[in-house]
Amino acid sequence: MRWEAQALQAGDGTGQDGDGTPAAPAALLPLSGLQRSITTPDFAGITFHEVVSKSALNRVPDSSPMPFRWTVNPYRGCTHACRYCYARSTHEYLDLDPGADFDRQIVVKVNTPELLRRELGRPGWTRELVALGTNTDPYQRAEGRYRLMPGIITALADTGTPFSILTKGTLLDRDLDLLSAASRQVPVQVSVSLAMLDPGLAQQVEPGTPSPAARLRLIERLASAGADVTVMAMPLLPWLTDSDRQVEELMAALAAAGARSVLAGALHLRPGARQWYLDWIARDHPELLEGYRTLYARGSYAAPSYRKALGRRTTAAARRHGLDRSGAHRITAADGEGSARATARGVPGRSSQHSPQHSPQPALF
């Protein structure tokens, strides 16, 4: 199945080209630029909606607390299927539900690399930092077939645009040489998301992600290549992954793998993810349901007292293992309270004098 070699053709999705089975007529889905919707045995139960996008760069509103003003998201929806993913609500804009549809109805912006290169080449582009992995993971499983990231990376590097990548996907290792080369042209930030070591629990709550052991090996490979790896130890799940023992073991494993810094924080339950996650708690951990309802009674964030206590414990554990908070996503304020400035660090080969200063990146996955 050579998806990346197929020429896109507009139509009603009823033809078959040996590249998967058309799943539905295009007219049935409210997706601008939809070319076809297909299924394939390689991804059982998942439908890919290939669209030709009108823009690759997304501007973040000036009022946003995020530490960047531009993002690129080649995919909408995510086969990682993390039950807590804050981006679930974005599927509602497509008239899809934020639960199972978010995991199984994946929009692929197949022209992202070419479109991005054109947009970055415009005279008005000022080469601000561009963030990848802020909505859904650019290295989710589908990237192994569509191969959009190599073109995105080279477009950014060739136009002198610094960028950051946040991922749970070990497929990033495929592009390590490309990222190393890019880091000699522009500042590159690399962050890996890993907040639990228990493979059984990870399979329940992050069923489509690489195992914790596989992500530790990715950190090792990145560190061996010379990268200053930041780990996003988010989210820590109340009563499931937040005990002193679990936090200590996590920090020890991250340090042993070669991580340079870590940003830990409590679970956020935003609209879309809240009900999907709590339905799982009610089914698999019913004894915790009332506690969760109390802890998150005021909204998406856990109670301030819990966040502050967790912050103190994770900071102390990180320090004991030589991990600092000065990486790509450093935060000095308590989790969920305000923002701070961040110093970019990433794959070596960059000139530090070109490293822009940014506010902290919040928990995104």
Side-chain angles (χ1 to χ4, degrees), residues 26-327:
L28 297 180
L29 294 165
L31 297 174
S32 175
L34 179 64
Q35 301 299 292
R36 63 178 182 173
S37 297
I38 64 170
T39 61
T40 170
D42 285 352
F43 294 85
I46 296 173
T47 301
F48 294 101
H49 307 289
E50 298 176 351
V51 303
V52 174
S53 182
K54 294 182 180 179
S55 64
L57 282 169
N58 308 302
R59 183 172 178 84
V60 178
D62 290 338
S63 60
S64 171
M66 295 213 178
F68 41 77
R69 286 293 166 259
W70 298 96
T71 67
V72 173
N73 293 293
Y75 302 97
R76 294 188 68 168
C78 188
T79 54
H80 284 342
C82 301
R83 296 184 181 277
Y84 50 76
C85 182
Y86 95 105
R88 286 184 174 277
S89 62
T90 62
H91 249 43
E92 294 177 338
Y93 295 104
L94 307 178
D95 290 339
L96 296 169
D97 77 66
D101 282 349
F102 183 83
D103 305 339
R104 296 178 176 274
Q105 304 290 330
I106 310 300
V107 177
V108 185
K109 303 174 186 178
V110 292
N111 63 328
T112 299
E114 299 81 9
L115 184 56
L116 178 63
R117 184 173 287 274
R118 289 201 298 271
E119 291 177 346
L120 296 175
R122 293 172 180 168
W125 176 243
T126 57
R127 297 178 176 81
E128 297 179 62
L129 183 139
V130 173
L132 297 112
T134 63
N135 193 353
T136 55
D137 200 317
Y139 282 106
Q140 59 179 285
R141 284 179 58 215
E143 170 61 17
R145 291 292 188 175
Y146 284 100
R147 297 185 65 86
L148 301 179
M149 283 298 291
I152 290 171
I153 291 168
T154 55
L156 291 163
D158 290 350
T159 57
T161 302
F163 62 94
S164 67
I165 297 174
L166 172 61
T167 185
K168 286 186 174 84
T170 53
L171 185 59
L172 180 143
D173 186 51
R174 178 200 67 189
D175 295 339
L176 184 54
D177 289 344
L178 192 60
L179 286 166
S180 295
S183 75
R184 292 189 285 273
Q185 298 174 268
V186 296
V188 177
Q189 302 172 6
V190 180
S191 299
V192 176
S193 178
L194 177 59
M196 65 187 73
L197 298 178
D198 183 340
L201 182 59
Q203 180 60 33
Q204 294 177 44
V205 77
E206 305 171 343
T209 63
S211 69
R215 277 178 272 169
L216 286 172
R217 290 193 294 271
L218 174 63
I219 294 169
E220 290 175 351
R221 290 193 292 272
L222 287 166
S224 295
D228 287 345
V229 184
T230 296
V231 174
M232 302 290 279
M234 296 182 172
L236 294 173
L237 309 179
W239 302 296
L240 292 172
T241 64
D242 66 342
S243 72
D244 288 345
R245 177 185 59 80
Q246 289 167 317
V247 169
E248 195 74 24
E249 290 177 352
L250 176 63
M251 298 303 171
L254 298 180
R260 174 67 177 270
S261 59
V262 62
L263 177 59
L267 172 71
H268 301 164
L269 289 178
R270 302 182 186 182
R274 184 185 184 95
Q275 193 57 45
W276 193 244
Y277 181 84
L278 291 182
D279 283 350
W280 170 71
I281 288 290
R283 184 178 65 251
D284 286 19
H285 301 279
E287 73 283 0
L288 301 181
L289 182 58
E290 192 56 38
Y292 269 94
R293 286 174 173 166
T294 300
L295 191 60
Y296 291 90
R298 292 190 174 184
S300 300
Y301 288 96
S305 59
Y306 173 85
R307 297 199 312 267
K308 291 177 181 178
L310 181 64
R312 288 192 295 268
R313 292 193 293 117
T314 56
T315 298
R319 286 174 178 166
R320 283 193 292 273
H321 293 281
L323 296 166
D324 62 41
R325 297 165 68 87
S326 62

